[in-house]
Amino acid sequence: MAVIATHRVNAMTSTAAAFPLWPLLILALLIALGWRQSRDRLVQPKTLVRLAVIMLALSLYGVASAFGVQALPLLAWAAGLSAVLTLGRHALAPRILAREGMAVRLQGSWLPLALMLGIFADKFVLGVAAGVGSPVVHEAWFVAAASLSFGLFSGAFAARAAAVRRAVSAAAA
């Protein structure tokens, strides 16, 4: 019994030693960015649009690099994106407290942190599964679920940016 326990400890120690440091640094950065967005802040709508475009591009690149440019992952990603833009655009819209020139004062929210952590968790699980050579990464259900999830999360950023743009445009008219 002691031999098995020692083997498990050695396996866990070697796995932890082989784990790269950069995902923890990215996680710390995401937490800091999310915490910052939990406070009321002044934001340029174009900044939110840029963030949404970056998240969409990174998400689509992640899907294509993980699963290839194939119909199933791209359609699942597009379905997630479309679902959020269609069904979640009002629910995900940040609350605008005031308009100040071309900027808006947004109420703080923990939603951006949750979205960023969701994307991080998806990417992390996918990376670990691929890194250990798990056959699940080649299963159609996994490919579709992961791609759909990336589309949903990145689409949420796009829905939030579009809602702010609409509000600013309506107020300007």
Side-chain angles (χ1 to χ4, degrees):
M1 190 67 152
V3 172
I4 293 172
T6 303
H7 177 68
R8 284 186 184 161
V9 169
N10 289 340
M12 288 177 15
T13 303
S14 65
T15 301
F19 186 79
L21 184 60
W22 64 267
L24 296 176
L25 295 174
I26 290 174
L27 179 60
L29 176 66
L30 292 175
I31 290 171
L33 288 173
W35 178 81
R36 191 169 151 215
Q37 292 186 36
S38 72
R39 309 283 183 235
D40 293 356
R41 65 199 186 286
L42 192 62
V43 178
Q44 296 286 334
K46 63 183 174 186
T47 302
L48 293 176
V49 170
R50 282 188 204 128
L51 175 63
V53 169
I54 290 169
M55 296 305 289
L56 287 168
L58 289 173
S59 174
L60 184 56
Y61 171 76
V63 167
S65 66
F67 305 117
V69 181
Q70 298 178 22
L72 177 62
L74 294 179
L75 288 173
W77 179 84
L81 174 64
S82 298
V84 170
L85 290 176
T86 304
L87 303 173
R89 63 186 177 144
H90 296 295
L92 295 170
R95 182 160 168 177
I96 297 173
L97 299 175
R99 188 164 169 245
E100 298 180 21
M102 291 305 292
V104 291
R105 183 159 301 282
L106 297 181
Q107 182 178 27
S109 172
W110 291 102
L111 182 62
L113 175 62
L115 295 172
M116 288 185 274
L117 292 179
I119 291 170
F120 179 86
D122 278 358
K123 191 74 173 150
F124 186 81
V125 167
L126 180 59
V128 168
V132 299
S134 176
V136 74
V137 298
H138 303 293
E139 297 287 335
W141 68 267
F142 182 83
V143 171
S147 300
L148 178 74
S149 181
F150 283 123
L152 288 169
F153 282 125
S154 60
F157 282 101
R160 289 175 58 80
V164 171
R165 289 279 278 184
R166 279 192 308 274
V168 168
S169 295

